[in-house]
Amino acid sequence: CEGFADAYMWQDDWTATTTDGGRSAQFEHTLLVTEDGVEALTGKIETSPLQFWEEESAIRKGIWLGTSENARARAEELSNR
């Protein structure tokens, strides 16, 4: 986003904007539920850049592709390239 990232929730309980009215964007993943977790079907590929929030996250650094064994292995592979 540009400006402040502080969010303001509209009264419709669905729409969110930045408090300063700056442009912002959001994204979602399509998830596949497997027996051992979830996999992001809209995840990254080899040429996908590592975004600043993936590098600076206090919760989970690097690429997230899901919680299944396959997703974790693929995320580790992409994060270590």
Side-chain angles (χ1 to χ4, degrees):
C1 76
E2 63 183 20
F4 297 104
D6 300 327
Y8 172 74
M9 183 65 72
W10 289 15
Q11 290 182 346
D12 64 7
D13 288 330
W14 183 262
T15 307
T17 61
T18 57
T19 56
D20 65 356
R23 293 181 291 182
S24 64
Q26 68 103 65
F27 62 90
E28 299 175 1
H29 283 296
T30 300
L31 301 176
L32 170 67
V33 178
T34 67
E35 288 188 16
D36 68 335
V38 298
E39 295 184 23
L41 299 179
T42 49
K44 296 196 173 235
I45 59 174
E46 289 78 8
T47 57
S48 298
L50 192 62
Q51 302 296 330
F52 75 87
W53 61 83
E54 295 168 317
E55 293 177 324
E56 299 172 4
S57 174
I59 298 170
R60 186 184 185 308
K61 293 192 183 311
I63 295 170
W64 183 88
L65 295 177
T67 60
S68 71
E69 185 176 329
N70 286 340
R72 288 173 191 239
R74 183 74 176 126
E76 185 174 334
E77 178 185 319
L78 289 174
S79 292
N80 293 327
R81 60 186 156 101

